[in-house]
């Protein structure tokens, strides 16, 4: 038995609490309900959920909904919990603490129990708190995928938009580990924190002379690569700041591009989508989520990677509704984490 004092013969109830979205709603009104504890299929684990990390994508889908959901829908994608049931021969074993990024096409993880395919989880090592592990999946995996898509190597110059956000924080640290020169944008109050994470230069994204100041610092050559967490007009601006045939990883929907800009820069544009691993039914991609989870857990345990600060959220519809509104409003640098059970 690892990471927990949970006995192997755990009493599993028939009903559980869950936080559901009755219907997509601009105001984000969630409900606290009681539903059946799910049954796990052959390769699935039944997990008693301990912590759920909230992300901007949770808030966006609470407002707009998702085409594959039926309502009411349980929200939440990033979870940490303890395995309480697994079929014979299925690893991880009962009693193991696991972390994962859930299937967006299925029910979410803001519930006392949930199921997850065994090949998509990562075992949380002893010595790392479960709440800390809950900050890792979505933001950390998005950062790792982005760096792989733009093939960051030693000596590259990379711009990381939104350096004080969770994705930006992980991307800065991993880019520095790969030997890149890191430029980042952030609000002025967060410049010190972003520098402490390893950014070589930080710029205020509200500065009207942002592009001029970047060019003065960078020189005429342009960035080798960009991680664009902002989207919209910032995407076109970032392509303008790249060298010819530069590389950009986009975490937001692509804007309409000016064709002259495309001819002048000929950018290599990559789209980052964690959900695609599930929506494409790609077993290889789902297993890759587990592999990235292992990397993140190892980095957090060793101290090589600093995790975002945690803001605790109560396991109630009212508190989570407010927290998701806060995700959209922005202006904070940490991760909101819901404690489901202890």
């Amino acid at each position: 038995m690892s990471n927990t004092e949970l006995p192997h013969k755990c009493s599993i109830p028939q009903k559980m609490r869950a936080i559901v979205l009755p219907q997509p709603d601009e105001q984000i009104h969630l409900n606290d309900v009681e539903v059946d504890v799910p049954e796990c299929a052959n390769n699935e684990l039944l997990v008693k959920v301990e912590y759920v990390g909230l992300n901007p994508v949770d808030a966006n889908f609470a407002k707009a909904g998702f085409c594959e959901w039926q309502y009411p829908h349980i929200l939440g994608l990033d979870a940490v919990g303890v395995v309480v049931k697994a079929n014979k021969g299925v690893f991880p074993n009962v009693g193991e603490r696991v972390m994962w990024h859930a299937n967006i096409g299925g029910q979410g993880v803001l519930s006392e129990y949930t199921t997850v395919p065994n090949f998509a989880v990562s075992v949380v090592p002893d010595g790392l708190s479960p709440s800390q592990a809950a900050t890792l999946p979505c933001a950390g995996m998005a950062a790792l995928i982005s760096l792989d898509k733009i093939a960051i190597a030693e000596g590259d110059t990379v711009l990381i938009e939104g350096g004080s956000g969770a994705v930006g924080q992980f991307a800065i640290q991993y880019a520095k580990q790969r030997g890149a020169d890191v430029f980042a944008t952030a609000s002025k109050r967060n410049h010190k924190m972003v520098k402490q994470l390893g950014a070589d230069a930080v710029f205020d994204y509200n500065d009207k002379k942002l592009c001029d100041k970047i060019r003065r610092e960078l020189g005429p050559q342009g960035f080798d690569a960009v991680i664009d967490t902002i989207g919209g007009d910032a995407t076109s601006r970032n392509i303008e700041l790249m060298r010819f045939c530069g590389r950009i990883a986009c975490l937001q929907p692509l804007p309409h591009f000016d064709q002259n800009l495309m001819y002048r820069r000929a950018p290599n544009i990559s789209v980052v989508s964690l959900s695609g691993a599930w929506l494409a039914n790609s077993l290889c991609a789902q297993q890759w989520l587990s592999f990235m989870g292992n990397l993140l857990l190892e980095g957090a345990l060793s101290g090589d990677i600093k995790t975002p600060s945690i803001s605790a959220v109560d396991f109630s519809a009212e508190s989570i509704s407010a927290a998701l509104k806060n995700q959209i409003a922005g202006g904070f640098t940490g991760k909101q984490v819901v404690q489901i059970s202890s």
Side-chain angles (χ1 to χ4, degrees):
M1 186 164 61
S2 172
N3 296 314
T4 176
E5 296 302 319
L6 182 79
H8 281 260
K9 292 185 179 180
C10 176
S11 176
I12 300 171
Q14 292 184 324
K15 296 285 186 177
M16 65 177 184
R17 283 183 61 210
I19 305 299
V20 300
L21 177 70
Q23 288 290 332
D25 181 0
E26 281 287 329
Q27 301 304 312
I28 308 183
H29 292 297
L30 306 180
N31 288 342
D32 191 329
V33 299
E34 186 176 71
V35 296
D36 291 336
V37 171
E39 293 289 333
C40 52
N42 290 337
N43 68 335
E44 287 184 326
L45 310 168
L46 179 65
V47 179
K48 182 176 174 62
V49 182
E50 296 177 301
Y51 291 90
V52 171
L54 300 179
N55 300 290
V57 68
D58 298 311
N60 291 333
F61 282 129
K63 289 179 63 175
F66 184 67
C67 60
E68 295 197 9
W69 289 357
Q70 293 183 337
Y71 300 95
H73 177 80
I74 300 173
L75 289 177
L77 293 170
D78 286 357
V80 172
V82 176
V83 179
V84 295
K85 184 178 180 182
N87 290 315
K88 187 175 181 180
V90 175
F91 176 83
N93 298 317
V94 170
E96 295 273 19
R97 177 170 285 126
V98 293
M99 176 198 83
W100 73 98
H101 180 74
N103 181 357
I104 194 172
Q107 291 291 347
V109 294
L110 278 168
S111 56
E112 292 179 307
Y113 294 85
T114 192
T115 58
V116 58
N118 71 310
F119 51 78
V121 304
S122 303
V123 175
V124 179
D126 293 324
L128 187 68
S129 72
S131 59
Q132 192 178 5
T135 69
L136 298 173
C138 186
M141 292 176 187
L144 288 172
I145 291 173
S146 297
L147 290 167
D148 286 344
K149 290 240 181 187
I150 57 178
I152 285 298
E154 187 170 358
D156 281 345
T157 56
V158 59
L159 172 65
I160 297 174
E161 280 273 25
S164 62
V167 175
Q169 290 183 42
F170 286 117
I172 288 168
Q173 295 176 81
Y174 280 110
K176 289 304 295 182
Q177 286 187 10
R178 299 185 188 195
D181 294 325
V182 176
F183 295 69
T185 62
S187 61
K188 204 162 188 179
R189 68 179 180 275
N190 293 322
H191 282 201
K192 182 178 179 181
M193 181 266 286
V194 173
K195 281 264 194 178
Q196 289 173 338
L197 290 173
D200 298 288
V202 188
F203 302 90
D204 184 355
Y205 53 67
N206 293 313
D207 193 332
K208 294 181 179 179
K209 296 183 178 180
L210 173 63
C211 291
D212 292 336
K213 290 184 178 179
I214 287 176
R215 287 190 179 102
R216 280 201 297 270
E217 184 77 25
L218 177 65
Q221 69 272 21
F223 292 109
D224 295 304
V226 174
I227 294 178
D228 179 14
T229 66
I230 306 299
D233 292 340
T235 305
S236 295
R237 181 201 70 205
N238 290 334
I239 291 174
E240 190 69 69
L241 288 168
M242 293 182 346
R243 65 171 175 79
F244 183 69
C245 291
R247 310 169 315 264
I248 183 169
C250 299
L251 283 78
Q252 301 294 338
L254 298 179
H256 173 75
F257 291 119
D258 176 73
Q259 291 305 303
N260 184 46
L261 174 64
M262 295 293 99
Y263 283 125
R264 285 189 291 106
R265 285 291 182 261
N268 293 287
I269 300 173
S270 297
V271 174
V272 176
S273 170
L274 290 181
S275 300
W278 298 103
L279 299 176
N281 292 319
S282 171
L283 178 59
C284 181
Q286 292 160 22
Q287 290 173 321
W288 185 251
L289 297 180
S290 171
F291 176 75
M292 288 189 295
N294 292 336
L295 289 177
L296 291 163
L297 290 166
E298 290 167 9
L301 180 65
S302 67
D304 291 339
I305 293 296
K306 296 178 183 177
T307 56
S309 59
I310 294 173
S311 297
V313 178
D314 291 336
F315 182 42
S316 71
E318 182 180 4
S319 295
I320 295 170
S321 296
L324 292 179
K325 292 174 187 176
N326 194 30
Q327 288 283 173
I328 293 174
F332 62 94
T333 61
K335 286 285 288 186
Q336 297 186 108
V337 176
V338 183
Q339 182 173 354
I340 309 294
S341 64
S342 57

